[in-house]
Amino acid sequence: MEDIKCLLIRVYGIVQGVGFRPFVSRIAAKAGILGSVCNKGPYVEIIAQGDDKQLADFLTRLKTQAPERSTILKIETSEIPAKKLHKFEIIKSGREKGEIFVSPDIAICKKCKEELFDKKNRRYLHPFINCTACGPRLTILDSMPYDRERTSMSEFPMCADCHDEYTNPKCRRYHAQPVCCNKCGPRLYIPGSEKEGAEALIFTREVIRGGGIAAIKGIGGFHLCCDAKNAEAVSRLRRLKNRPFKPFAVMLRDMETVRRECKTDGAQEALLDGPQKPIILLERSGRGEICPEVAPGNPKIGVMLPYAPIQLLLFSYPDGKDMTDCFVMTSGNPSGAPICRNDEEAVKELSGMCDVILSNDRKIRLRADDSVMAFFEGRPYMIRRSRGYAPLPVVLPHVNDGSVLAVGGELKNTFCLARGNLLYLSPYIADLADLRSVKALEEATARMERLLEISPQAVACDLHPKYNSTEFAKSLGLPVIQVQHHYAHIASCMAENGFEEEVIGVAFDGTGYGTDGTIWGGEFLKASYSGFERLGSIAPFRQAGGELAVKEGWRVALSLLLNAFGSESAAGEAAEKLGLCDKTAIRTQFAMLKNNINCVTSTSAGRLFDAASAILGIKRRSTFEGEASSALEYAADKNTGYNFEPNISTYMDGRFIIEISGLIKYLAEKAIEGTSKSYLAGAFHSAVAQMVRAGCIKCRELTGINTVALSGGVFQNLLLLEKCVNLLKSDGFYVLTHSLVPPNDGGIALGQAAVALNKL
Ligand code: ZN
Ligand code: ZN
Ligand code: FE
């Protein structure tokens, strides 16, 4: 008995809902260990008793063989007195407070996929098949720890067979919380009709095959789905969704189809087919069969593979009928509102946009849209962080005291709950201009606070007085910490990179409220978590026309031409030759600028890109955010070697100014002369990158700082990003860029949280 020791082991990390306890029980059996394992909320607690050799074997297995989907952040071990033990058991969950790790939802695994189509398997064609390695997690969870009775699966008592698997340590469904089968699981149905189960599914396939539109309840909400090869169906969906040009994402049947439609590399394929299954923006192959209406004028397309069993069944079902291998799969929501998550919302909001609604009775507790990413330098470059990634925390190197809720910005809203050194970004909510989105934000913050057991001491929000997010933050009755928009962008980039020192922050962005009440968005900041200073910006210009100036780049172009050419007559003449707009519009716009009617002062780089797109005749107005500037990116000749000499001459309110008039004049004159659009679009990107370099060199002279963080929505432009990174690196800068946190407003909650935690 002397050489028997007993260890108390605590494992922190993503260890709940990923089959961790069954794994521990299996390795205990292999190592000959007696004791127990238990979910404690913040961690998994193991009592392990055995001799030295057995314990060493057990600990090695624990560290090296953990389930694929788990992430161990820390293991604590202490010795406790040995006990009389006879077995190793899994003990029912207890409750303790501390760091909590909630698993994101996991795409269907290979084994479940095989069983789904195996006639001999008892889960043959079961639309809710899952196991300890796959299935819904965050979206069905009520509270922690993760156990069946605290998920929306509690309404479905397990049948005897499922219960056997659930309690058999040798089974891969041992303690798989959402486990179910055709006998005991949720059911498919069509609301308002008699059709259910297989009949409902077959009918929905029929609708899609016939060129119709179906709303389908998935993991984190409803999608609208139609045949992506059927131009008529896609055009009709555009009309019904009131979305004339914004690209639709597609879901392709398998990797073979992806390779036919797009160019991919190994890293992209691994991610497409991995446990997260995000939408990845891929270049088209040129020999695809998807109709152009899916992403008009766009060289790329957002592609994902099926991740829920129901989606696999929509593609392949033994009803003897063929099915397209390309679906449009776009979020089921009215423009601007959050994705629909229950029948009530779907019937109300989606009925007018589709021919059938295929629902099921497994409730979605928390919405999660599909995540969307590009790729930069072989790594993911997040555009929308949601399903599969939320709510994995960003871990800061230092531990702060206290906890905060950061409510994010107005567009592409996400929020962030933070405690200590863990910052949990929420799934995507929506644009908050829509009050349904504000309600969704309220619900989701309350739910996540409960799940993560964080009661924030303070709330962080944007500086903008009119944002709904600011109003929501102020309504909570907590101390409010307002964080300037572009400072939050830079802090989010620092936090994602675990960077703790001062940086030069380049925030190139659309719209953000500045500390002086003007619109910022082409900023050079000196920033750390404790504060920031505006060292410089692009030259301010006037935006006339309020919201219209954001949608209609030609309006800002006129203002920039006026600055560049110095007189109304010269600018007007250039505008006419460029075909920017008619004479009346020119006169009206100039009058507004001259008399300061509906004008704001702006340094927005986003507007500069819109204006350049308009001047070059690429896109004069946008029907969705970023349309004109992405068209400018796609039009650009990537190899244009334009040498631009940035002019940093004037100081204004204590900051340096990078002139843009020279560049605007050059673009206008060359465009009038007939120089090609693709050359000029390329030259524009080169010039802006050279401005960024010049600004950073100026900042380095002023501060001695050598690290640059690049953030803000404009850095979704990969051509600009690449040019900036290359120039900065060649000048010896250390460059921080985003990867798994978006550079756009979907990331600012993280920056707000990092700054606010520091202030507590
Ligand atoms: Zn599975
Ligand atoms: Zn069952
Ligand atoms: Fe922004």
Side-chain angles (χ1 to χ4, degrees):
M1 200 52 196
E2 262 88 292
D3 55 344
I4 295 294
K5 271 193 211 156
C6 190
L7 295 181
L8 177 75
I9 304 166
R10 285 178 175 168
V11 187
Y12 294 81
I14 307 284
V15 287
Q16 300 209 349
V18 291
F20 201 82
R21 286 175 300 166
F23 151 73
V24 172
S25 157
R26 276 195 306 273
I27 61 168
K30 279 183 191 148
I33 292 290
L34 303 178
S36 61
V37 58
C38 178
N39 265 349
K40 291 278 186 172
Y43 51 83
V44 162
E45 187 173 274
I46 304 167
I47 305 229
Q49 188 160 300
D51 62 29
D52 280 342
K53 211 176 134 224
Q54 288 169 327
L55 284 169
D57 181 25
F58 177 74
L59 284 171
T60 311
R61 288 175 189 270
L62 184 65
K63 285 172 197 158
T64 57
Q65 299 172 5
E68 199 186 314
R69 288 294 298 146
S70 67
T71 311
I72 296 180
L73 292 178
K74 191 168 72 174
I75 298 180
E76 281 175 3
T77 321
S78 58
E79 198 173 333
I80 55 170
K83 313 169 184 178
K84 269 214 169 84
L85 296 171
H86 307 287
K87 58 178 180 180
F88 193 94
E89 59 182 336
I90 294 182
I91 297 177
K92 238 180 139 38
S93 302
R95 313 279 301 129
E96 267 181 52
K97 295 219 173 231
E99 294 101 349
I100 291 187
F101 298 92
V102 178
S103 169
D105 304 299
I106 312 164
I108 184 169
C109 73
K110 292 213 159 65
K111 280 183 194 150
C112 285
K113 202 165 148 182
E114 273 166 33
E115 289 185 6
L116 180 64
F117 294 108
D118 175 3
K119 280 188 189 145
K120 289 187 214 100
N121 193 283
R122 66 184 196 86
R123 288 191 182 80
Y124 179 51
L125 305 179
H126 180 47
F128 303 92
I129 189 170
N130 67 81
C131 70
T132 50
C134 76
R137 297 289 186 270
L138 173 68
T139 52
I140 59 164
L141 201 50
D142 284 318
S143 64
M144 287 298 274
Y146 175 64
D147 264 333
R148 191 179 183 100
E149 67 259 35
R150 281 179 285 272
T151 71
S152 57
M153 285 302 291
S154 63
E155 294 172 22
F156 304 95
M158 276 180 263
C159 69
D161 288 339
C162 284
H163 192 262
D164 279 353
E165 291 176 84
Y166 182 79
T167 49
N168 175 2
K170 295 215 169 73
C171 176
R172 65 187 194 85
R173 291 199 171 83
Y174 183 46
H175 277 240
Q177 306 305 342
V179 73
C180 58
C181 71
N182 284 311
K183 247 188 283 171
C184 67
R187 303 238 140 225
L188 298 176
Y189 60 85
I190 294 171
S193 111
E194 303 279 277
K195 294 188 173 67
E196 61 163 53
E199 203 196 342
L201 181 72
I202 292 168
F203 180 77
T204 305
R205 277 169 54 89
E206 198 58 54
V207 167
I208 297 171
R209 193 183 301 112
I213 300 164
I216 292 147
K217 187 174 174 183
I219 300 293
F222 280 82
H223 283 107
L224 288 168
C225 170
C226 71
D227 180 357
K229 295 176 176 176
N230 183 331
E232 229 170 278
V234 178
S235 301
R236 178 165 164 252
L237 178 57
R238 288 207 171 281
R239 273 198 311 280
L240 296 176
K241 228 192 160 196
N242 192 16
R243 180 163 153 163
F245 299 110
K246 193 177 176 188
F248 284 134
V250 292
M251 180 175 278
L252 305 183
R253 188 177 59 199
D254 45 30
M255 195 60 81
E256 227 173 286
T257 315
V258 174
R259 290 183 189 130
R260 183 189 73 211
E261 296 292 328
C262 308
K263 296 177 191 165
T264 60
D265 64 26
Q268 290 163 341
E269 288 191 6
L271 209 53
L272 274 176
D273 204 21
Q276 289 97 358
K277 292 207 164 50
I279 295 170
I280 304 188
L281 301 174
L282 295 172
E283 220 170 296
R284 302 214 201 181
S285 65
R287 53 193 173 81
E289 295 170 18
I290 292 172
C291 68
E293 285 78 0
V294 169
N298 198 314
K300 290 186 182 175
I301 192 161
V303 169
M304 65 181 146
L305 286 173
Y307 54 84
I310 177 72
Q311 295 156 352
L312 288 164
L313 295 174
L314 282 172
F315 278 116
S316 314
Y317 198 84
D319 56 7
K321 309 267 178 64
D322 284 339
M323 180 53 100
T324 176
D325 52 9
C326 306
F327 290 150
V328 163
M329 257 313 170
T330 185
S331 297
N333 58 324
S335 168
I339 191 167
C340 297
R341 72 175 165 105
N342 57 37
D343 288 359
E344 196 195 333
E345 289 173 356
V347 169
K348 186 167 163 231
E349 313 281 11
L350 305 180
S351 289
M353 301 185 205
C354 66
D355 305 299
V356 62
I357 297 176
L358 180 62
S359 188
N360 67 69
D361 52 4
R362 185 174 69 196
K363 295 195 175 89
I364 297 172
R365 299 294 196 211
L366 199 67
R367 294 177 178 86
D369 285 68
D370 299 313
S371 292
V372 183
M373 58 173 62
F375 256 68
F376 178 68
E377 294 185 334
R379 285 201 307 160
Y381 194 68
M382 198 66 88
I383 304 295
R384 180 169 75 197
R385 178 189 168 105
S386 204
R387 177 187 52 77
Y389 293 89
L392 286 182
V394 169
V395 185
L396 292 180
H398 70 276
V399 181
N400 300 276
D401 293 330
S403 53
V404 295
L405 165 67
V407 297
E410 197 77 343
L411 288 175
K412 302 185 168 72
N413 181 271
T414 60
F415 63 90
C416 182
L417 271 165
R419 176 176 47 210
N421 60 336
L422 299 169
L423 294 79
Y424 304 88
L425 267 176
S426 76
Y428 176 81
I429 306 291
D431 292 343
L432 290 192
D434 192 306
L435 288 179
R436 286 167 292 196
S437 312
V438 180
K439 191 161 164 266
L441 172 66
E442 266 177 57
E443 283 169 8
T445 49
R447 180 165 288 274
M448 288 261 292
E449 282 175 21
R450 205 161 63 234
L451 281 182
L452 298 167
E453 295 181 350
I454 294 178
S455 322
Q457 299 160 271
V459 55
C461 65
D462 200 90
L463 204 58
H464 201 300
K466 286 186 184 150
Y467 275 3
N468 282 327
S469 51
T470 308
E471 207 167 291
F472 170 60
K474 289 184 172 165
S475 75
L476 293 174
L478 293 167
V480 176
I481 300 171
Q482 288 187 282
V483 183
Q484 199 279 326
H485 190 93
H486 302 101
Y487 175 35
H489 271 303
I490 298 305
S492 79
C493 186
M494 294 168 61
E496 175 174 17
N497 287 285
F499 197 80
E500 306 262 77
E501 278 143 59
E502 280 189 319
V503 300
I504 298 167
V506 181
F508 271 29
D509 199 31
T511 297
Y513 193 80
T515 53
D516 59 358
T518 69
I519 305 234
W520 292 10
E523 311 307 312
F524 293 84
L525 310 177
K526 179 176 104 169
S528 70
Y529 296 126
S530 54
F532 80 101
E533 196 185 321
R534 190 188 196 191
L535 295 178
S537 76
I538 61 171
F541 52 87
R542 317 246 291 147
Q543 271 176 226
E547 261 309 291
L548 282 179
V550 177
K551 291 181 180 140
E552 305 188 347
W554 63 267
R555 291 176 186 269
V556 176
L558 274 177
S559 168
L560 294 181
L561 288 172
L562 188 57
N563 290 349
F565 286 87
S567 74
E568 285 190 10
S569 57
E573 197 189 318
E576 258 185 77
K577 283 186 184 153
L578 291 165
L580 265 188
C581 54
D582 62 37
K583 273 191 181 154
T584 323
I586 296 177
R587 263 204 309 277
T588 318
Q589 200 67 16
F590 282 166
M592 287 205 293
L593 288 166
K594 192 158 77 185
N595 301 311
N596 202 16
I597 298 165
N598 202 7
C599 282
V600 287
T601 300
S602 164
T603 51
S604 164
R607 298 296 82 78
L608 173 63
F609 274 73
D610 293 347
S613 190
I615 287 171
L616 298 182
I618 291 165
K619 271 259 152 49
R620 298 202 171 92
R621 47 174 61 78
S622 297
T623 61
F624 60 90
E625 201 212 357
E627 184 179 4
S629 51
S630 28
L632 182 69
E633 177 189 355
Y634 300 143
D637 175 358
K638 294 193 165 89
N639 303 316
T640 304
Y642 174 61
N643 232 332
F644 177 77
E645 278 296 321
N647 183 358
I648 310 185
S649 51
T650 358
Y651 278 77
M652 201 185 229
D653 310 330
R655 71 178 197 272
F656 67 78
I657 296 296
I658 301 185
E659 294 301 336
I660 52 176
S661 280
L663 176 59
I664 292 297
K665 200 167 179 208
Y666 168 82
L667 289 183
E669 284 172 354
K670 289 290 167 190
I672 290 168
E673 277 172 25
T675 308
S676 85
K677 286 176 189 180
S678 69
Y679 174 85
L680 289 175
F684 174 77
H685 281 81
S686 293
V688 173
Q690 286 168 79
M691 288 178 188
V692 168
R693 169 171 66 180
C696 288
I697 291 174
K698 185 79 190 167
C699 291
R700 182 162 59 188
E701 281 166 21
L702 293 169
T703 63
I705 301 169
N706 198 45
T707 302
V708 176
L710 301 177
S711 191
V714 170
F715 282 111
Q716 290 170 102
N717 182 323
L718 295 183
L719 179 59
L720 177 73
L721 181 68
E722 188 190 334
K723 284 180 185 286
C724 289
V725 168
N726 288 344
L727 285 179
L728 290 169
K729 281 186 176 163
S730 71
D731 272 308
F733 285 103
Y734 179 62
V735 185
L736 305 176
T737 57
H738 284 284
S739 176
L740 292 178
V741 173
N744 59 44
D745 287 7
I748 65 169
L750 175 65
Q752 292 173 347
V755 169
L757 271 181
N758 199 276
K759 280 226 163 63
L760 286 178

